[in-house]
Coordinates of all heavy atoms in Angstrom, one line a residue:
M128 N 0.8 -1.2 0.0 CA 0.0 0.0 0.0 C 0.9 1.3 0.0 O 0.6 2.2 -0.7 CB -0.9 -0.1 1.2 CG -1.9 1.1 1.3 SD -3.2 0.6 0.2 CE -4.4 1.7 0.7
D129 N 2.0 1.2 0.8 CA 2.8 2.4 0.8 C 3.5 2.6 -0.5 O 3.8 3.7 -0.9 CB 3.9 2.2 1.9 CG 3.3 2.2 3.3 OD1 2.2 2.9 3.4 OD2 3.8 1.6 4.2
R130 N 3.8 1.5 -1.2 CA 4.5 1.7 -2.5 C 3.6 2.4 -3.5 O 4.1 3.2 -4.3 CB 4.8 0.3 -3.0 CG 5.7 0.3 -4.2 CD 6.3 -1.0 -4.4 NE 7.4 -0.9 -5.4 CZ 7.3 -1.2 -6.7 NH1 6.2 -1.8 -7.1 NH2 8.3 -1.1 -7.5
R131 N 2.3 2.2 -3.5 CA 1.3 2.8 -4.4 C 1.3 4.3 -4.1 O 1.3 5.1 -5.0 CB -0.1 2.3 -4.3 CG -0.3 1.0 -5.0 CD -1.8 0.8 -5.1 NE -2.1 -0.6 -5.2 CZ -3.3 -1.0 -5.0 NH1 -4.3 -0.2 -4.7 NH2 -3.5 -2.3 -5.1
R132 N 1.3 4.7 -2.9 CA 1.2 6.1 -2.5 C 2.5 6.8 -2.9 O 2.6 8.0 -3.2 CB 0.9 6.3 -1.1 CG -0.5 5.9 -0.7 CD -0.8 6.4 0.7 NE -2.1 5.9 1.1 CZ -3.2 6.6 1.0 NH1 -3.1 7.9 0.6 NH2 -4.3 6.2 1.4
S133 N 3.6 6.1 -2.8 CA 4.9 6.7 -3.1 C 5.1 7.1 -4.6 O 5.8 8.0 -4.9 CB 6.1 5.8 -2.7 OG 6.1 4.7 -3.4
L134 N 4.4 6.4 -5.5 CA 4.4 6.7 -6.9 C 3.6 7.9 -7.2 O 3.9 8.6 -8.2 CB 3.9 5.5 -7.7 CG 4.8 4.2 -7.7 CD1 4.1 3.1 -8.5 CD2 6.2 4.5 -8.3
G135 N 2.7 8.2 -6.4 CA 1.9 9.4 -6.6 C 0.8 9.3 -7.6 O 0.2 10.3 -8.1
I136 N 0.4 8.1 -8.1 CA -0.6 7.9 -9.1 C -1.9 7.6 -8.3 O -2.0 6.7 -7.5 CB -0.3 6.7 -10.0 CG1 0.9 7.0 -10.8 CG2 -1.5 6.4 -10.9 CD1 1.4 5.9 -11.7
R137 N -2.9 8.5 -8.6 CA -4.2 8.3 -8.0 C -5.1 7.6 -9.0 O -5.6 8.3 -9.9 CB -4.8 9.6 -7.5 CG -4.0 10.4 -6.5 CD -4.3 10.0 -5.1 NE -5.7 9.9 -4.8 CZ -6.4 10.7 -4.1 NH1 -5.9 11.9 -3.7 NH2 -7.7 10.5 -3.8
W138 N -5.3 6.3 -8.9 CA -6.0 5.6 -10.0 C -7.4 5.9 -10.1 O -8.0 5.9 -11.2 CB -5.8 4.1 -9.7 CG -4.4 3.6 -9.9 CD1 -3.5 3.3 -9.0 CD2 -3.7 3.5 -11.2 NE1 -2.3 3.0 -9.5 CE2 -2.4 3.1 -10.9 CE3 -4.1 3.7 -12.5 CZ2 -1.5 2.9 -11.9 CZ3 -3.1 3.5 -13.5 CH2 -1.9 3.1 -13.2
D139 N -8.0 6.3 -9.0 CA -9.4 6.8 -9.0 C -9.6 8.1 -9.8 O -10.4 8.2 -10.7 CB -10.0 6.9 -7.6 CG -9.2 7.9 -6.8 OD1 -8.0 8.1 -7.1 OD2 -9.8 8.4 -5.8
R140 N -8.6 9.0 -9.7 CA -8.7 10.2 -10.5 C -8.4 10.0 -11.9 O -9.0 10.5 -12.8 CB -7.7 11.2 -9.9 CG -8.1 11.9 -8.7 CD -7.2 13.0 -8.3 NE -7.6 13.7 -7.1 CZ -6.9 14.6 -6.5 NH1 -5.7 15.0 -7.0 NH2 -7.3 15.1 -5.4
L141 N -7.4 9.1 -12.2 CA -7.0 8.8 -13.5 C -8.2 8.1 -14.3 O -8.5 8.4 -15.4 CB -5.8 7.9 -13.5 CG -5.2 7.5 -14.9 CD1 -4.7 8.7 -15.6 CD2 -4.1 6.4 -14.8
G142 N -8.9 7.3 -13.6 CA -10.0 6.6 -14.1 C -11.1 7.6 -14.5 O -11.8 7.5 -15.5
R143 N -11.4 8.5 -13.6 CA -12.4 9.6 -13.8 C -12.0 10.4 -15.1 O -12.8 10.7 -15.9 CB -12.5 10.5 -12.6 CG -13.4 9.9 -11.6 CD -13.7 10.9 -10.5 NE -13.6 10.1 -9.2 CZ -13.0 10.5 -8.1 NH1 -12.4 11.7 -8.1 NH2 -12.9 9.8 -7.0
W144 N -10.7 10.8 -15.1 CA -10.3 11.6 -16.3 C -10.3 10.9 -17.6 O -10.7 11.4 -18.6 CB -8.9 12.2 -16.0 CG -8.9 13.4 -15.1 CD1 -8.5 13.5 -13.9 CD2 -9.4 14.7 -15.5 NE1 -8.7 14.7 -13.3 CE2 -9.3 15.5 -14.3 CE3 -10.0 15.2 -16.6 CZ2 -9.7 16.8 -14.3 CZ3 -10.4 16.6 -16.5 CH2 -10.2 17.3 -15.4
A145 N -10.0 9.6 -17.5 CA -10.1 8.7 -18.7 C -11.6 8.6 -19.2 O -11.9 8.7 -20.3 CB -9.5 7.4 -18.4
L146 N -12.5 8.4 -18.2 CA -13.9 8.4 -18.5 C -14.4 9.7 -19.1 O -15.1 9.7 -20.1 CB -14.7 8.0 -17.3 CG -16.2 7.7 -17.5 CD1 -16.4 6.6 -18.4 CD2 -16.8 7.5 -16.1
I147 N -14.0 10.8 -18.5 CA -14.4 12.1 -19.1 C -13.8 12.3 -20.5 O -14.5 12.8 -21.4 CB -13.9 13.2 -18.1 CG1 -14.7 13.2 -16.9 CG2 -14.0 14.6 -18.8 CD1 -14.3 14.1 -15.8
G148 N -12.6 11.8 -20.7 CA -12.0 11.9 -22.0 C -12.7 11.1 -23.1 O -12.9 11.6 -24.2
V149 N -13.1 9.9 -22.7 CA -13.8 9.0 -23.6 C -15.2 9.7 -23.9 O -15.6 9.7 -25.1 CB -14.0 7.6 -23.0 CG1 -15.0 6.8 -23.8 CG2 -12.6 6.9 -23.0
F150 N -15.8 10.2 -22.9 CA -17.1 10.8 -23.1 C -17.0 12.0 -24.0 O -17.8 12.2 -24.9 CB -17.7 11.3 -21.7 CG -19.0 12.0 -21.8 CD1 -20.2 11.3 -22.2 CD2 -19.1 13.3 -21.6 CE1 -21.4 11.9 -22.3 CE2 -20.3 14.0 -21.7 CZ -21.5 13.3 -22.1
A151 N -15.9 12.8 -23.8 CA -15.7 14.0 -24.7 C -15.4 13.6 -26.1 O -15.9 14.2 -27.0 CB -14.5 14.8 -24.1
L152 N -14.7 12.5 -26.3 CA -14.4 12.0 -27.6 C -15.7 11.5 -28.3 O -15.9 11.9 -29.5 CB -13.4 10.9 -27.6 CG -13.1 10.2 -28.9 CD1 -12.3 11.2 -29.8 CD2 -12.2 9.0 -28.7
V153 N -16.5 10.8 -27.6 CA -17.8 10.3 -28.2 C -18.7 11.5 -28.5 O -19.3 11.6 -29.6 CB -18.5 9.4 -27.2 CG1 -19.9 9.1 -27.6 CG2 -17.7 8.1 -27.1
L154 N -18.7 12.5 -27.6 CA -19.5 13.7 -27.9 C -19.0 14.4 -29.1 O -19.8 14.8 -30.0 CB -19.5 14.6 -26.7 CG -20.4 15.9 -26.7 CD1 -21.8 15.5 -26.8 CD2 -20.1 16.7 -25.5
Y155 N -17.7 14.6 -29.2 CA -17.1 15.2 -30.4 C -17.5 14.5 -31.7 O -17.7 15.1 -32.7 CB -15.6 15.3 -30.2 CG -14.9 15.8 -31.4 CD1 -14.9 17.2 -31.7 CD2 -14.2 15.0 -32.3 CE1 -14.2 17.7 -32.9 CE2 -13.5 15.4 -33.4 CZ -13.5 16.8 -33.7 OH -12.9 17.3 -34.8
L156 N -17.4 13.2 -31.6 CA -17.7 12.4 -32.8 C -19.2 12.5 -33.2 O -19.5 12.2 -34.4 CB -17.3 10.9 -32.6 CG -15.8 10.7 -32.5 CD1 -15.5 9.2 -32.2 CD2 -15.1 11.1 -33.8
Y157 N -20.1 12.8 -32.3 CA -21.5 12.9 -32.6 C -21.9 14.3 -33.1 O -22.9 14.5 -33.7 CB -22.4 12.5 -31.4 CG -22.6 11.0 -31.4 CD1 -21.9 10.2 -30.6 CD2 -23.7 10.5 -32.1 CE1 -22.1 8.8 -30.6 CE2 -23.9 9.1 -32.1 CZ -23.1 8.3 -31.3 OH -23.4 6.9 -31.3
I158 N -21.1 15.3 -32.7 CA -21.5 16.7 -33.0 C -21.5 17.0 -34.5 O -22.4 17.6 -35.0 CB -20.6 17.7 -32.2 CG1 -20.9 17.7 -30.8 CG2 -20.7 19.1 -32.8 CD1 -20.0 18.5 -29.9
G159 N -20.4 16.5 -35.2 CA -20.3 16.8 -36.6 C -21.5 16.2 -37.4 O -22.2 17.0 -38.2
P160 N -21.8 15.0 -37.3 CA -22.9 14.4 -38.0 C -24.3 15.0 -37.6 O -25.1 15.2 -38.5 CB -22.9 12.9 -37.7 CG -21.5 12.6 -37.3 CD -21.0 13.9 -36.7
A161 N -24.4 15.3 -36.3 CA -25.7 16.0 -35.9 C -25.8 17.3 -36.6 O -26.9 17.7 -37.0 CB -25.7 16.1 -34.4
L162 N -24.8 18.1 -36.6 CA -24.9 19.4 -37.3 C -25.2 19.3 -38.8 O -26.0 20.0 -39.3 CB -23.6 20.2 -37.0 CG -23.3 20.7 -35.6 CD1 -22.0 21.4 -35.5 CD2 -24.5 21.6 -35.1
T163 N -24.6 18.3 -39.4 CA -24.8 18.0 -40.8 C -26.3 17.6 -41.0 O -26.9 18.1 -41.9 CB -23.9 16.9 -41.3 OG1 -22.6 17.3 -41.1 CG2 -24.1 16.6 -42.8
W164 N -26.8 16.8 -40.1 CA -28.2 16.4 -40.2 C -29.1 17.5 -40.1 O -30.1 17.7 -40.9 CB -28.5 15.3 -39.2 CG -29.9 14.8 -39.3 CD1 -30.4 13.8 -40.1 CD2 -31.0 15.2 -38.5 NE1 -31.7 13.6 -39.9 CE2 -32.2 14.5 -39.0 CE3 -31.2 16.2 -37.6 CZ2 -33.4 14.7 -38.4 CZ3 -32.5 16.4 -37.0 CH2 -33.6 15.6 -37.5
I165 N -28.9 18.4 -39.2 CA -29.7 19.6 -38.9 C -29.7 20.5 -40.2 O -30.8 20.9 -40.6 CB -29.3 20.4 -37.7 CG1 -29.6 19.5 -36.4 CG2 -29.9 21.7 -37.6 CD1 -29.0 20.1 -35.2
S166 N -28.5 20.8 -40.7 CA -28.5 21.6 -41.9 C -29.1 21.0 -43.1 O -29.8 21.7 -43.9 CB -27.0 22.0 -42.2 OG -26.3 20.9 -42.6
T167 N -29.0 19.7 -43.2 CA -29.6 19.0 -44.3 C -31.2 19.0 -44.2 O -31.9 19.2 -45.2 CB -29.2 17.5 -44.4 OG1 -27.7 17.5 -44.5 CG2 -29.8 16.7 -45.5
Y168 N -31.6 18.9 -43.0 CA -33.1 18.9 -42.7 C -33.6 20.3 -43.1 O -34.7 20.4 -43.7 CB -33.3 18.6 -41.2 CG -34.8 18.6 -40.9 CD1 -35.6 17.4 -41.2 CD2 -35.4 19.6 -40.3 CE1 -36.9 17.4 -40.9 CE2 -36.8 19.6 -40.0 CZ -37.5 18.4 -40.3 OH -38.8 18.4 -40.0
K169 N -32.9 21.4 -42.7 CA -33.3 22.7 -43.0 C -33.3 23.0 -44.5 O -34.2 23.6 -45.1 CB -32.5 23.8 -42.3 CG -32.7 23.8 -40.8 CD -31.8 24.8 -40.2 CE -32.0 24.9 -38.7 NZ -31.1 25.8 -38.0
E170 N -32.3 22.5 -45.2 CA -32.2 22.6 -46.7 C -33.3 21.9 -47.4 O -33.9 22.3 -48.3 CB -30.8 22.1 -47.2 CG -30.7 22.2 -48.7 CD -30.7 23.7 -49.2 OE1 -30.4 24.6 -48.4 OE2 -31.1 23.8 -50.4
A171 N -33.7 20.7 -46.9 CA -34.8 19.9 -47.4 C -36.1 20.7 -47.3 O -36.9 20.7 -48.2 CB -34.8 18.5 -46.8
A172 N -36.3 21.3 -46.2 CA -37.5 22.1 -45.9 C -37.6 23.3 -46.9 O -38.6 23.5 -47.5 CB -37.5 22.6 -44.5
R173 N -36.4 23.9 -47.2 CA -36.4 25.0 -48.2 C -36.7 24.5 -49.6 O -37.4 25.1 -50.3 CB -35.0 25.7 -48.1 CG -34.9 26.7 -47.0 CD -33.6 27.5 -47.1 NE -32.4 26.8 -47.1 CZ -31.7 26.5 -46.0 NH1 -32.1 27.0 -44.9 NH2 -30.6 25.9 -46.1
Q174 N -36.2 23.3 -49.9 CA -36.4 22.7 -51.2 C -37.8 22.3 -51.4 O -38.4 22.5 -52.5 CB -35.4 21.6 -51.4 CG -34.0 21.9 -51.6 CD -33.7 22.9 -52.7 OE1 -34.3 22.8 -53.8 NE2 -32.8 23.8 -52.5
R175 N -38.5 21.8 -50.3 CA -39.9 21.4 -50.4 C -40.7 22.7 -50.6 O -41.7 22.6 -51.4 CB -40.3 20.7 -49.1 CG -39.9 19.3 -49.0 CD -40.6 18.6 -47.9 NE -40.2 19.1 -46.6 CZ -39.1 18.7 -45.9 NH1 -38.4 17.7 -46.4 NH2 -38.8 19.2 -44.7
E176 N -40.4 23.8 -50.0 CA -41.1 25.0 -50.2 C -40.9 25.5 -51.7 O -41.9 25.9 -52.3 CB -40.6 26.1 -49.2 CG -41.3 27.4 -49.3 CD -40.8 28.4 -48.3 OE1 -40.5 28.0 -47.1 OE2 -40.6 29.5 -48.6
A177 N -39.7 25.4 -52.2 CA -39.5 25.8 -53.6 C -40.3 24.9 -54.5 O -40.8 25.4 -55.5 CB -38.0 25.8 -53.9
V178 N -40.3 23.6 -54.3 CA -41.1 22.7 -55.1 C -42.6 23.1 -55.1 O -43.2 23.1 -56.1 CB -40.8 21.3 -54.7 CG1 -41.8 20.3 -55.4 CG2 -39.4 20.8 -55.1
A179 N -43.1 23.4 -53.9 CA -44.5 23.8 -53.8 C -44.8 25.0 -54.6 O -45.8 25.1 -55.3 CB -44.9 24.0 -52.4
K180 N -43.9 26.0 -54.6 CA -44.1 27.2 -55.4 C -44.0 26.9 -56.9 O -44.8 27.5 -57.6 CB -43.0 28.3 -55.0 CG -43.2 28.9 -53.7 CD -42.1 29.9 -53.4 CE -42.3 30.5 -52.0 NZ -41.3 31.5 -51.7
L181 N -43.1 26.1 -57.3 CA -43.0 25.7 -58.7 C -44.2 24.9 -59.2 O -44.7 25.1 -60.3 CB -41.7 24.9 -58.9 CG -40.4 25.7 -58.8 CD1 -39.2 24.7 -58.9 CD2 -40.4 26.7 -59.9
K182 N -44.8 24.1 -58.3 CA -46.0 23.4 -58.7 C -47.2 24.4 -58.9 O -48.0 24.2 -59.8 CB -46.4 22.3 -57.6 CG -45.5 21.1 -57.7 CD -45.9 20.1 -56.6 CE -45.1 18.8 -56.8 NZ -45.5 17.8 -55.8
E183 N -47.3 25.4 -58.0 CA -48.3 26.4 -58.1 C -48.1 27.1 -59.4 O -49.1 27.4 -60.2 CB -48.3 27.4 -57.0 CG -48.7 26.8 -55.7 CD -48.6 27.8 -54.5 OE1 -48.3 29.0 -54.8 OE2 -48.7 27.4 -53.4
E184 N -46.9 27.5 -59.8 CA -46.6 28.2 -61.0 C -47.0 27.3 -62.2 O -47.5 27.8 -63.2 CB -45.2 28.7 -61.1 CG -44.9 29.5 -62.3 CD -43.5 30.0 -62.4 OE1 -42.7 29.7 -61.4 OE2 -43.1 30.6 -63.4
N185 N -46.6 26.1 -62.1 CA -46.9 25.1 -63.2 C -48.4 25.0 -63.4 O -48.9 25.0 -64.6 CB -46.3 23.8 -62.9 CG -46.4 22.8 -64.1 OD1 -46.2 23.3 -65.2 ND2 -46.6 21.6 -63.8
E186 N -49.2 24.9 -62.3 CA -50.7 24.9 -62.5 C -51.2 26.2 -63.1 O -52.0 26.1 -64.0 CB -51.3 24.7 -61.1 CG -51.1 23.4 -60.5 CD -51.9 22.3 -61.3 OE1 -53.0 22.6 -61.8 OE2 -51.3 21.2 -61.4
R187 N -50.7 27.3 -62.7 CA -51.1 28.6 -63.3 C -50.7 28.6 -64.8 O -51.6 29.0 -65.7 CB -50.4 29.8 -62.6 CG -50.8 31.1 -63.1 CD -50.1 32.2 -62.4 NE -48.6 32.1 -62.5 CZ -47.9 32.5 -63.6 NH1 -48.5 33.0 -64.6 NH2 -46.6 32.4 -63.6
L188 N -49.6 28.1 -65.2 CA -49.2 28.1 -66.6 C -50.0 27.1 -67.4 O -50.3 27.4 -68.6 CB -47.7 27.8 -66.7 CG -46.7 28.9 -66.2 CD1 -45.3 28.4 -66.2 CD2 -46.9 30.2 -67.1
L189 N -50.4 26.0 -66.8 CA -51.2 25.1 -67.5 C -52.6 25.6 -67.8 O -53.2 25.4 -68.8 CB -51.3 23.7 -66.7 CG -50.1 22.9 -66.7 CD1 -50.3 21.7 -65.8 CD2 -49.8 22.4 -68.1
E190 N -53.1 26.4 -66.8 CA -54.4 27.1 -67.0 C -54.3 28.1 -68.1 O -55.2 28.2 -68.9 CB -54.9 27.8 -65.7 CG -55.3 26.8 -64.6 CD -55.5 27.5 -63.3 OE1 -55.5 28.7 -63.2 OE2 -55.8 26.8 -62.3
R191 N -53.2 28.8 -68.1 CA -53.0 29.9 -69.1 C -52.9 29.2 -70.5 O -53.4 29.7 -71.5 CB -51.7 30.6 -68.8 CG -51.4 31.7 -69.8 CD -52.3 32.9 -69.6 NE -51.9 34.0 -70.4 CZ -52.7 34.7 -71.1 NH1 -54.0 34.6 -71.0 NH2 -52.2 35.7 -71.9
K192 N -52.2 28.1 -70.6 CA -52.1 27.3 -71.8 C -53.5 26.9 -72.3 O -53.8 27.0 -73.5 CB -51.2 26.1 -71.6 CG -51.1 25.3 -72.9 CD -50.3 24.0 -72.6 CE -50.4 23.1 -73.8 NZ -49.8 21.8 -73.5
A193 N -54.3 26.4 -71.4 CA -55.7 26.0 -71.7 C -56.5 27.2 -72.2 O -57.3 27.1 -73.2 CB -56.4 25.3 -70.5
E194 N -56.3 28.3 -71.6 CA -57.1 29.6 -72.0 C -56.7 29.9 -73.5 O -57.5 30.3 -74.3 CB -56.7 30.7 -71.1 CG -57.3 30.6 -69.7 CD -56.8 31.8 -68.8 OE1 -56.1 32.6 -69.3 OE2 -57.2 31.7 -67.6
L195 N -55.4 29.9 -73.8 CA -54.9 30.3 -75.1 C -55.2 29.2 -76.2 O -55.0 29.5 -77.3 CB -53.4 30.6 -75.0 CG -53.0 31.8 -74.2 CD1 -51.5 31.9 -74.1 CD2 -53.6 33.1 -74.8
S196 N -55.6 28.0 -75.8 CA -55.9 27.0 -76.7 C -57.3 27.2 -77.3 O -57.6 26.5 -78.3 CB -55.8 25.6 -76.1 OG -54.5 25.3 -75.7
A197 N -58.1 28.0 -76.7 CA -59.5 28.2 -77.2 C -59.4 29.0 -78.5 O -58.5 29.7 -78.7 CB -60.3 29.0 -76.1
P198 N -60.4 28.7 -79.4 CA -60.5 29.4 -80.6 C -60.6 30.9 -80.4 O -61.4 31.4 -79.6 CB -61.7 28.9 -81.3 CG -62.1 27.7 -80.5 CD -61.5 27.8 -79.2
G199 N -59.8 31.7 -81.1 CA -59.8 33.1 -81.1 C -59.0 33.7 -79.9 O -58.9 34.9 -79.8
A200 N -58.5 32.9 -79.0 CA -57.8 33.4 -77.8 C -56.5 34.1 -78.2 O -56.1 35.1 -77.7 CB -57.5 32.3 -76.9
I201 N -55.8 33.5 -79.2 CA -54.5 34.1 -79.6 C -54.8 35.5 -80.2 O -54.0 36.4 -79.9 CB -53.8 33.2 -80.6 CG1 -53.5 31.8 -80.0 CG2 -52.5 33.8 -81.1 CD1 -52.5 31.9 -78.9
E202 N -55.8 35.6 -81.0 CA -56.1 36.9 -81.6 C -56.5 37.9 -80.5 O -56.1 39.1 -80.6 CB -57.3 36.8 -82.6 CG -57.6 38.1 -83.3 CD -58.6 37.9 -84.4 OE1 -59.0 36.8 -84.7 OE2 -59.1 39.0 -84.8
R203 N -57.3 37.5 -79.6 CA -57.7 38.4 -78.5 C -56.5 38.9 -77.7 O -56.3 40.0 -77.3 CB -58.7 37.7 -77.5 CG -60.1 37.7 -78.0 CD -61.1 37.3 -76.9 NE -60.7 36.0 -76.3 CZ -61.1 34.8 -76.8 NH1 -61.9 34.7 -77.9 NH2 -60.8 33.7 -76.2
E204 N -55.6 37.9 -77.4 CA -54.3 38.3 -76.7 C -53.5 39.2 -77.5 O -52.9 40.2 -77.0 CB -53.6 37.0 -76.4 CG -52.4 37.2 -75.5 CD -52.7 37.7 -74.1 OE1 -53.9 37.5 -73.6 OE2 -51.8 38.2 -73.4
A205 N -53.4 39.0 -78.8 CA -52.6 39.9 -79.7 C -53.2 41.3 -79.7 O -52.4 42.3 -79.6 CB -52.5 39.3 -81.1
R206 N -54.5 41.4 -79.8 CA -55.1 42.7 -79.8 C -54.9 43.4 -78.5 O -54.8 44.6 -78.4 CB -56.6 42.5 -80.2 CG -56.7 42.2 -81.7 CD -58.2 42.3 -82.1 NE -58.3 41.9 -83.5 CZ -58.1 42.7 -84.5 NH1 -57.7 43.9 -84.4 NH2 -58.3 42.2 -85.8
R207 N -55.0 42.6 -77.4 CA -54.8 43.2 -76.1 C -53.4 43.8 -76.0 O -53.1 44.8 -75.3 CB -54.9 42.1 -75.0 CG -54.9 42.7 -73.5 CD -55.0 41.6 -72.5 NE -53.8 40.8 -72.5 CZ -52.6 41.1 -71.9 NH1 -52.5 42.2 -71.3 NH2 -51.6 40.2 -71.9
L208 N -52.4 43.2 -76.7 CA -51.1 43.7 -76.7 C -50.8 44.8 -77.7 O -49.7 45.3 -77.9 CB -50.1 42.5 -77.0 CG -50.0 41.5 -75.9 CD1 -49.2 40.3 -76.3 CD2 -49.4 42.1 -74.6
G209 N -51.9 45.2 -78.4 CA -51.8 46.3 -79.4 C -51.5 45.9 -80.8 O -51.1 46.8 -81.6
M210 N -51.6 44.7 -81.1 CA -51.2 44.2 -82.5 C -52.5 44.3 -83.3 O -53.6 44.2 -82.9 CB -50.7 42.8 -82.5 CG -49.4 42.6 -81.7 SD -48.9 40.9 -81.7 CE -47.5 41.0 -80.7
V211 N -52.3 44.5 -84.6 CA -53.4 44.6 -85.6 C -53.1 43.6 -86.7 O -52.0 43.3 -87.0 CB -53.6 46.0 -86.1 CG1 -54.1 46.9 -85.0 CG2 -52.4 46.5 -86.8
K212 N -54.2 43.2 -87.4 CA -54.0 42.4 -88.6 C -53.4 43.2 -89.8 O -53.6 44.4 -89.8 CB -55.3 41.8 -89.0 CG -55.8 40.7 -88.1 CD -57.1 40.1 -88.6 CE -57.6 39.0 -87.8 NZ -58.9 38.5 -88.3
A213 N -52.8 42.5 -90.7 CA -52.3 43.2 -91.9 C -53.5 43.9 -92.6 O -54.5 43.3 -92.8 CB -51.6 42.2 -92.8
G214 N -53.3 45.1 -93.0 CA -54.3 45.9 -93.7 C -55.3 46.6 -92.8 O -56.1 47.5 -93.3
E215 N -55.3 46.4 -91.5 CA -56.1 47.1 -90.6 C -55.4 48.4 -90.2 O -54.2 48.5 -90.2 CB -56.4 46.3 -89.3 CG -57.3 45.2 -89.5 CD -57.6 44.4 -88.2 OE1 -56.9 44.6 -87.2 OE2 -58.6 43.7 -88.2
R216 N -56.2 49.4 -89.8 CA -55.6 50.7 -89.3 C -55.7 50.7 -87.8 O -56.8 50.5 -87.3 CB -56.4 51.8 -90.0 CG -55.8 53.2 -89.6 CD -56.5 54.3 -90.3 NE -56.0 54.2 -91.7 CZ -56.4 55.0 -92.6 NH1 -57.3 55.9 -92.4 NH2 -55.9 54.9 -93.8
A217 N -54.7 51.0 -87.1 CA -54.6 51.1 -85.7 C -54.9 52.5 -85.2 O -54.4 53.5 -85.8 CB -53.3 50.7 -85.2
Y218 N -55.8 52.7 -84.2 CA -56.1 54.0 -83.6 C -55.7 53.9 -82.2 O -55.9 53.0 -81.5 CB -57.6 54.3 -83.7 CG -58.1 54.4 -85.2 CD1 -58.6 53.4 -85.8 CD2 -58.0 55.7 -85.8 CE1 -59.1 53.5 -87.1 CE2 -58.4 55.8 -87.1 CZ -59.0 54.7 -87.8 OH -59.4 54.9 -89.0
I219 N -55.1 55.0 -81.7 CA -54.7 55.2 -80.3 C -55.5 56.3 -79.7 O -55.5 57.4 -80.2 CB -53.2 55.5 -80.2 CG1 -52.3 54.4 -80.8 CG2 -52.8 55.7 -78.7 CD1 -50.9 54.7 -80.8
V220 N -56.3 55.9 -78.7 CA -57.1 56.9 -78.0 C -56.4 57.2 -76.7 O -56.1 56.3 -75.9 CB -58.5 56.3 -77.7 CG1 -59.4 57.3 -77.0 CG2 -59.1 55.9 -79.0
E221 N -56.2 58.5 -76.4 CA -55.5 58.9 -75.2 C -56.4 59.8 -74.4 O -57.4 60.4 -74.9 CB -54.3 59.7 -75.6 CG -53.2 58.9 -76.2 CD -52.0 59.8 -76.6 OE1 -52.0 61.0 -76.4 OE2 -51.0 59.2 -77.1
G222 N -56.1 59.9 -73.1 CA -56.9 60.8 -72.2 C -58.1 60.1 -71.5 O -58.8 60.8 -70.9
L223 N -58.3 58.8 -71.7 CA -59.4 58.1 -71.1 C -58.9 57.6 -69.7 O -57.8 57.1 -69.6 CB -59.9 57.0 -71.9 CG -60.5 57.4 -73.3 CD1 -60.9 56.2 -74.1 CD2 -61.7 58.3 -73.1
D224 N -59.8 57.5 -68.8 CA -59.4 57.0 -67.5 C -59.7 55.5 -67.5 O -60.5 54.9 -68.1 CB -60.3 57.6 -66.4 CG -59.9 59.0 -66.1 OD1 -58.7 59.4 -66.4 OD2 -60.7 59.8 -65.6

């Protein structure tokens, strides 16, 4: 017993520090993947939101396509944009509310 004390090694303290070191190492090894998982989860949420917006826009464009497929729709749209047929005379009326 005297010989152990003379070396100055306190095995109980060394065991505690080793346990704390192992715990710190395990914690360190889990932090990196956990942070990656969190950032990936947030990015996936942003991408889901972007996909939802694109689906809404796609629906709107499909409706617009259906509107323009009707007979005479292209001509109405062209006239709305100020275009006239060949041989027609265009008039511009100003000052109306």
Side-chain angles (χ1 to χ4, degrees):
M128 185 82 165
D129 292 330
R130 188 162 192 258
R131 279 197 209 167
R132 289 191 186 262
S133 66
L134 292 176
I136 297 175
R137 302 269 319 254
W138 292 105
D139 56 338
R140 282 189 183 172
L141 183 65
R143 281 187 220 136
W144 280 108
L146 186 61
I147 290 172
V149 168
F150 179 71
L152 178 66
V153 168
L154 185 65
Y155 174 75
L156 293 174
Y157 273 96
I158 287 175
L162 293 176
T163 302
W164 183 83
I165 290 169
S166 66
T167 303
Y168 184 79
K169 288 179 182 178
E170 179 64 26
R173 283 192 294 269
Q174 293 298 325
R175 281 190 295 272
E176 184 178 316
V178 167
K180 287 180 182 178
L181 289 172
K182 284 183 179 180
E183 288 175 12
E184 183 179 357
N185 191 33
E186 288 294 322
R187 185 182 55 79
L188 291 172
L189 288 173
E190 290 172 7
R191 182 74 174 137
K192 178 185 172 191
E194 289 172 5
L195 292 175
S196 296
I201 299 293
E202 184 178 346
R203 282 193 302 274
E204 187 66 21
R206 290 192 182 276
R207 188 184 67 81
L208 294 172
M210 297 179 185
V211 294
K212 288 184 179 179
E215 289 183 340
R216 182 174 287 179
Y218 294 96
I219 298 175
V220 179
E221 294 179 356
L223 297 177
D224 290 334

